[in-house]
Amino acid sequence: MLSRSARAPCRFALLALALLFVASPACADSVEVAPGVQVTRKSYSGPTNQQPFFGFAAKTPEQRAADETFVSDMVAATGSRQKAFDAASLRGWRAISKGNAPEAALRFNQAYLLAPEQSAVYHGFAIVTMMRFGDIDYADELFKRARLQPHPLKPLASDHGRALLIGKRPQQARAVLEQAVVDAPDLADAWSNLGFARLQTGDAAGACVAANEAATRKPSSTVSSDLAQLRSSAKCK
């Protein structure tokens, strides 16, 4: 069984990804998606299995039977429902790392069938919502819900803050990212994202401090590239 850190997504590089598709949601009321868990019902144009929560489409008896068969087969193949969830969600994170939002949505919908209460479902759907539909409001809601659900992944707050930056909400992003570096102080991505949030809120000196912190935490090559840009923009010494 993979550890939760091993199942964490590769770096959420939305700043380098063009939004693939933008559409207005068809409806917006609340619906229970897991016991005691409610989210806004939103659907978009396109195949339902490429939207969060299957686009909240009503399923036929045949579709419900197919879902049950999928769950049974996955549990049998992996040995437990948790392992089946881990396998489906890992495929979702891999799709996100490749910029393949439709595939990611499909995999997180499968994870949702297996364990609808787990944080990674809402985390993954939040990223898909930003990548494929450009809906920052709904992504923000799903990120917030992910933080309330069991077993949140380490990069969650960092990814949330980065999405807010992409959505041009630097003040909100900064508040989330200031907490992210408290919760996960060893995460280079969180410090790098915080640096950009500080810079965009007029705190160049603080941005340089964050850049220095990120540089000491084994940043990936992509983060290192971001840090070079950050230092140049903030005129760090």
Side-chain angles (χ1 to χ4, degrees):
M1 178 176 176
L2 292 168
S3 69
R4 297 204 177 276
S5 59
R7 298 200 308 275
C10 295
R11 184 169 178 271
F12 178 24
L14 282 184
L15 288 179
L17 292 173
L19 293 175
L20 302 177
F21 181 80
V22 178
S24 297
C27 49
D29 56 80
S30 294
V31 62
E32 188 172 72
V33 291
V37 179
Q38 290 197 336
V39 300
T40 301
R41 181 197 304 267
K42 284 193 176 183
S43 58
Y44 306 87
S45 298
T48 58
N49 66 355
Q50 295 177 14
Q51 301 179 45
F53 308 103
F54 295 97
F56 298 98
K59 292 187 177 182
T60 65
E62 292 77 15
Q63 288 172 324
R64 291 194 293 272
D67 287 347
E68 292 174 2
T69 298
F70 165 77
V71 170
S72 297
D73 288 349
M74 281 289 289
V75 171
T78 59
S80 74
R81 200 177 189 96
Q82 181 61 52
K83 289 181 179 179
F85 174 84
D86 293 344
S89 59
L90 179 59
R91 290 173 182 171
W93 297 127
R94 286 174 174 167
I96 283 173
S97 74
K98 296 175 182 178
N100 189 341
E103 173 71 11
L106 172 64
R107 298 307 180 184
F108 283 111
N109 274 318
Q110 292 175 342
Y112 170 64
L113 292 175
L114 289 156
E117 77 287 350
Q118 290 212 26
S119 174
V121 170
Y122 304 88
H123 186 172
F125 280 152
I127 297 177
V128 166
T129 296
M130 279 294 295
M131 289 176 66
R132 186 160 173 76
F133 304 110
D135 189 343
I136 181 59
D137 289 331
Y138 198 38
D140 185 34
E141 175 185 334
L142 294 176
F143 274 121
K144 289 175 179 175
R145 171 48 63 183
R147 296 175 75 174
L148 299 174
Q149 296 306 116
H151 312 306
L153 297 176
K154 192 174 184 178
L156 173 58
S158 180
D159 288 351
H160 186 188
R162 192 172 183 88
L164 290 167
L165 284 174
I166 294 166
K168 303 187 186 304
R169 300 183 182 185
Q171 291 287 358
Q172 288 178 261
R174 180 168 180 171
V176 170
L177 291 164
E178 294 284 3
Q179 186 59 47
V181 299
V182 173
D183 296 341
D186 59 334
L187 193 63
D189 294 57
W191 284 104
S192 175
N193 292 337
L194 175 58
F196 282 102
R198 287 176 174 174
L199 181 62
Q200 291 179 27
T201 54
D203 183 6
C208 293
V209 171
N212 291 338
E213 292 285 354
T216 67
R217 287 164 169 79
K218 299 181 180 179
S220 66
S221 59
T222 308
V223 174
S224 294
S225 177
D226 280 355
L227 291 177
Q229 178 189 341
L230 175 60
R231 287 191 171 110
S232 176
S233 298
K235 296 180 171 55
C236 301
K237 295 179 180 180

